[in-house]
Amino acid sequence: MKKNILTLAVGSLLVVSAFQSCKPKNSSNAVSGDAAAKTYVAPGKYDEMYNFVSGGFSGQMSCYGLPSGRLLRVIPVFAVDPEKGYGYSEETKPMLNTSHGFIPWDDLHHVQLSKTNGDADGRWVFANANNTPRLARIDLKTFRTAEIIELPNSAGNHSSPFLTENTEYVVAGTRFSVPSDNANGDVPINTYKQNFKGYLSFVGIGKEGQMDIAFQLECPGVNFDLSRAGKGKSHGWFFFSCYNTEQANTLLEVNASQKDKDFIMAVNWKKAEEYVKAGKGKKMPVKYAHNVYNESNHTATSEIRTEVLVLDTKELADICYMMPCPKSPHGCDVDPTGEYIVGSGKLAALIPVFSFDKMQKAIADKSFDGQYEGIPVLKYESVLYGEVKKPGLGPLHTEFDAKGNAYTSFFVSSEVVKWNIKDLKVLDRVPTFYSVGHLCVVGGDCRNPTGKYLIAYNKITKDRYLPTGPELAQSAQLFDISGDKMQMILDFPTIGEPHYAQAILADGIRKNQIKFFKIEDNKHPYVTKGEAESKVVREGNKVHVYMTCVRSHFAPDNIEGIKLGDEVYFHVTNLEQDWDVPHGFAMKGAINAELLIMPGETQTLKWVPDRVGISPFYCTDFCSALHQEMQGYVRVSPASSNVPIAFSLGTNLPKDEAAATK
């Protein structure tokens, strides 16, 4: 039996290799002559839409304009970024704190825009950290990471972030089931079935976006993959794809692909809320970090929390139900009406479509096919609406337009397939270049999709761009879906490895954006609101430099009295009160990075000098015609020196020959 399975696996790999090494048919004319007109955005004109794209192993998120494909911004989330000083400045370091300590990297796979009444509202975009489980909230007023919360009892936070239709919760499932945080984890790995659990985290979202773990569900030890919340009639439910229901712990490509069907888990989160209110949850000791960036004082804080509320799905059997789904499902998507749930089994030759109404009836009728670790398994035929037959090879992910159509990515056959939700008939198919993973329809997970564009995010780009050594550029491809037939109109490189993305009409974000911070509202503890307030203060071996910057000088720009062994903190306030006039600050010998300070903001660079001498500093962000002149000097003396603290702007300090020779 195992030999047959291995033979099948090798055969599948050969098929995949064949598809990846060959161009799809008609690739030479895949982009027609009118594509340039459809994607052209004239100089000085704005794009119609923002496209937020996960950066995969870069730990960042990128923002592109559509339809031009122009890169507008890279947003650091779980990775340090020297361009913006994120994770290097004293104010932003706490954002990357975890229960394991400071972690300056992660693997960002998925993004999701906040919603009101089931549609994207442009307030925030959420992101997941796959490696050290975390969720992040990016504030779209500033395009900066505002909050990060770590997820206890989790390992491999791939299955997130997924939002309810009014952003009541952002939900995350563990990819790797492991023993819970408060259990003895020193157990043999082959006791997986006895000791490993999967957790779903329901993180509540406050009116201002603040995140707090409301409760967790303890579930069987499976791998959770992707999810979507119900909408409309199915609001109050979540649907998670599950694989490795075999509960294998080694060679999963074989041992986790043996069953004909895995599951989509349907979760009644409204019922879970009732159990929480009834006191059915159990408080579990854990340890996780919660990090928040405050735009009032321009400073992040990190708090370690030590408790989480857990509901056991074995004990509370009417929270979760299993719907059989062929085979090794990846995508799990809900159509705009909330009636149809689409599963995408990576190894299946069809696409199953489930009915929410039929699921409700099956639960009421107890149309069960046994249990899976205490969770009722619904009969496949009782919940199935129908199957899309022979749609392609390797279905992964589905999104929807406003016309009753679905679009599914096919990794193995390198294509996107359009099909009708009601009659399950294939309407169109187009090649991608190559091995498409996720796709994004504008508003494709909403109650009222915008449609118009579809973007495919591809894993391989052989022969699409100028070669760049062993690794080639990552790829996104833009399709016009406004007509009956899909038309590829653009492809463009992306940062990192693009996984999932979301797009929104630009006006939904632009109206609320911050252009600069009002200096009078700056509540940073080391703010300097005018050059007259600039100073240098010694506190033991710590030296605080209260500094301002404005086009085109720092105040002060000459500093003396710094000694070896000192820790110097440059608290730099940007006095500009105009849009798009940041200043940079870099210090010779600093082992972290530069600062990038927005107008009206204060940021801090820590510098520990390692040698006696003169160390210059300068502005790193080109700000004016006299940008090159925006510089200064720090004199560092021996630890035994008695050179006093002195600072100036525009005035040469008195010579101190005696002190200089000591």
Side-chain angles (χ1 to χ4, degrees):
M1 179 65 180
K2 287 186 177 180
K3 182 177 179 181
N4 292 338
I5 292 171
L6 287 170
T7 303
L8 177 62
V10 172
S12 299
L13 288 173
L14 291 174
V15 171
V16 171
S17 299
F19 274 101
Q20 290 178 349
S21 62
C22 300
K23 292 184 181 181
K25 294 179 181 179
N26 303 320
S27 62
S28 61
N29 61 359
V31 180
S32 63
D34 64 343
K38 290 186 175 183
T39 62
Y40 179 68
V41 178
K45 300 296 183 181
Y46 290 162
D47 275 284
E48 182 183 359
M49 299 174 183
Y50 288 105
N51 184 208
F52 297 96
V53 184
S54 66
F57 42 68
S58 76
Q60 301 168 324
M61 183 187 298
S62 54
C63 178
Y64 297 83
L66 295 179
S68 72
R70 297 181 295 198
L71 177 62
L72 303 177
R73 189 164 185 81
V74 175
I75 304 169
V77 183
F78 302 111
V80 293
D81 181 7
E83 178 192 354
K84 302 171 184 66
Y86 181 80
Y88 292 106
S89 72
E90 295 305 296
E91 288 80 3
T92 58
K93 283 179 181 177
M95 293 300 290
L96 298 176
N97 188 40
T98 74
S99 63
H100 303 274
F102 180 81
I103 297 184
W105 168 86
D106 219 294
D107 188 11
L108 194 162
H109 273 220
H110 304 128
V111 304
Q112 193 163 27
L113 290 157
S114 58
K115 290 180 170 60
T116 300
N117 297 324
D119 291 320
D121 57 27
R123 292 179 294 167
W124 313 299
V125 59
F126 294 85
N128 72 322
N130 190 19
N131 186 61
T132 301
R134 287 171 280 178
L135 292 171
R137 176 175 59 87
I138 293 85
D139 191 336
L140 294 180
K141 293 195 302 291
T142 59
F143 277 54
R144 300 201 297 196
T145 303
E147 187 175 11
I148 294 177
I149 193 167
E150 189 179 3
L151 300 175
N153 294 321
S154 299
N157 177 38
H158 179 266
S159 184
S160 73
F162 308 113
L163 295 171
T164 52
E165 65 175 23
N166 284 299
T167 318
E168 297 96 340
Y169 294 103
V170 56
V171 182
T174 186
R175 173 181 176 181
F176 309 110
S177 288
V178 290
S180 62
D181 286 2
N182 73 327
N184 175 20
D186 184 18
V187 295
I189 297 173
N190 64 9
T191 63
Y192 185 112
K193 293 183 179 181
Q194 292 76 39
N195 293 308
F196 289 43
K197 302 294 180 184
Y199 282 83
L200 303 181
S201 300
F202 282 74
V203 179
I205 308 298
K207 289 184 178 180
E208 301 303 318
Q210 63 271 25
M211 297 189 290
D212 187 27
I213 299 177
F215 59 90
Q216 292 185 317
L217 299 182
E218 183 179 293
C219 301
V222 299
N223 293 47
F224 292 103
D225 204 334
L226 296 180
S227 175
R228 280 287 184 257
K231 51 177 74 84
K233 64 166 64 179
S234 55
H235 177 61
W237 288 80
F238 252 98
F239 304 93
F240 278 88
S241 59
C242 310
Y243 66 102
N244 191 25
T245 56
E246 296 87 349
Q247 297 186 322
N249 60 273
T250 183
L251 196 62
L252 263 63
E253 65 175 320
V254 173
N255 294 321
S257 302
Q258 296 187 16
K259 292 184 178 180
D260 180 56
K261 290 182 175 67
D262 287 291
F263 297 118
I264 286 176
M265 177 189 281
V267 180
N268 187 339
W269 60 265
K270 289 284 191 180
K271 178 63 70 173
E273 283 186 330
E274 292 177 12
Y275 282 128
V276 168
K277 291 178 182 177
K280 298 293 186 181
K282 298 177 182 178
K283 292 182 179 180
M284 179 185 293
V286 292
K287 190 177 179 182
Y288 65 99
H290 181 221
N291 312 324
V292 180
Y293 190 84
N294 186 322
E295 292 291 5
S296 175
N297 60 21
H298 310 294
T299 301
T301 55
S302 179
E303 172 193 10
I304 296 295
R305 297 183 175 180
T306 58
E307 192 175 73
V308 69
L309 188 69
V310 176
L311 299 175
D312 190 338
T313 57
K314 276 187 177 180
E315 297 177 1
L316 307 170
D318 55 351
I319 295 178
C320 298
Y321 299 88
M322 295 295 201
M323 296 192 294
C325 180
K327 176 179 184 185
S328 296
H330 182 60
C332 177
D333 300 284
V334 180
D335 87 305
T337 70
E339 166 62 14
Y340 302 107
I341 302 108
V342 179
S344 295
K346 300 189 295 289
L347 303 180
L350 52 81
I351 300 175
V353 180
F354 302 98
S355 163
F356 178 74
D357 286 344
K358 293 184 73 172
M359 184 194 83
Q360 292 289 84
K361 186 176 186 304
I363 293 171
D365 294 345
K366 299 188 182 302
S367 181
F368 300 151
D369 192 8
Q371 293 186 340
Y372 183 83
E373 295 209 6
I375 296 177
V377 177
L378 300 170
K379 291 183 178 179
Y380 183 67
E381 296 76 12
S382 297
V383 295
L384 184 71
Y385 172 73
E387 297 172 340
V388 183
K389 303 291 187 182
K390 298 182 180 178
L393 297 177
L396 289 185
H397 176 223
T398 300
E399 294 216 336
F400 308 91
D401 65 18
K403 303 174 183 178
N405 300 313
Y407 302 79
T408 301
S409 57
F410 288 83
F411 178 82
V412 176
S413 51
S414 292
E415 60 184 334
V416 174
V417 174
K418 175 182 178 180
W419 50 278
N420 183 268
I421 300 169
K422 290 293 180 64
D423 63 21
L424 307 180
K425 297 291 180 62
V426 172
L427 303 175
D428 191 23
R429 59 180 72 236
V430 291
T432 60
F433 305 90
Y434 308 95
S435 298
V436 58
H438 284 279
L439 52 77
C440 163
V441 173
V442 183
D445 71 327
C446 296
R447 292 186 70 172
N448 297 287
T450 304
K452 189 171 183 178
Y453 297 124
L454 178 151
I455 311 97
Y457 301 95
N458 306 327
K459 304 301 184 186
I460 295 172
T461 59
K462 285 182 171 65
D463 69 42
R464 297 303 290 177
Y465 310 114
L466 284 172
T468 52
E471 185 186 21
L472 303 180
Q474 312 292 328
S475 168
Q477 293 183 305
L478 180 67
F479 294 82
D480 179 354
I481 60 170
S482 59
D484 291 336
K485 297 293 184 180
M486 296 178 283
Q487 180 192 23
M488 185 189 295
I489 56 177
L490 181 71
D491 60 5
F492 55 95
T494 67
I495 66 163
E497 181 189 355
H499 289 264
Y500 183 50
Q502 292 209 315
I504 184 175
L505 290 169
D507 288 345
I509 293 178
R510 286 178 54 205
K511 60 186 178 183
N512 296 319
Q513 284 187 9
I514 291 175
K515 293 187 175 181
F516 59 87
F517 299 100
K518 293 180 180 179
I519 192 72
E520 62 266 27
D521 295 337
N522 186 329
K523 294 180 173 57
H524 193 286
Y526 293 97
V527 63
T528 308
K529 294 188 176 181
E531 289 184 4
E533 299 178 13
S534 63
K535 58 187 176 181
V536 181
V537 178
R538 176 178 288 282
E539 297 175 356
N541 73 327
K542 290 182 171 61
V543 178
H544 295 277
V545 180
Y546 294 73
M547 179 179 284
T548 65
C549 57
V550 71
R551 287 167 287 187
S552 298
H553 63 270
F554 294 99
D557 64 2
N558 279 209
I559 301 171
E560 301 193 14
I562 306 301
K563 304 175 185 180
L564 282 182
D566 284 344
E567 293 179 0
V568 184
Y569 294 86
F570 294 95
H571 309 289
V572 187
T573 301
N574 183 346
L575 296 180
E576 306 284 356
Q577 292 289 269
D578 193 8
W579 191 19
D580 193 31
V581 191
H583 287 293
F585 178 84
M587 185 76 212
K588 179 186 177 183
I591 61 173
N592 37 25
E594 61 146 7
L595 297 177
L596 190 63
I597 313 114
M598 297 299 113
E601 185 179 49
T602 303
Q603 291 286 287
T604 301
L605 182 75
K606 179 182 177 181
W607 176 56
V608 180
D610 66 348
R611 65 197 66 184
V612 170
I614 302 298
S615 294
F617 56 84
Y618 69 101
C619 177
T620 56
D621 191 294
F622 205 101
C623 55
S624 72
L626 297 178
H627 167 73
Q628 286 294 98
E629 284 75 11
M630 193 169 176
Q631 64 176 55
Y633 296 99
V634 175
R635 173 186 172 187
V636 180
S637 302
S640 60
S641 169
N642 60 2
V643 176
I645 288 290
F647 55 94
S648 67
L649 171 67
T651 302
N652 285 322
L653 294 171
K655 293 181 180 179
D656 188 354
E657 298 295 341
T661 60
K662 289 184 180 180

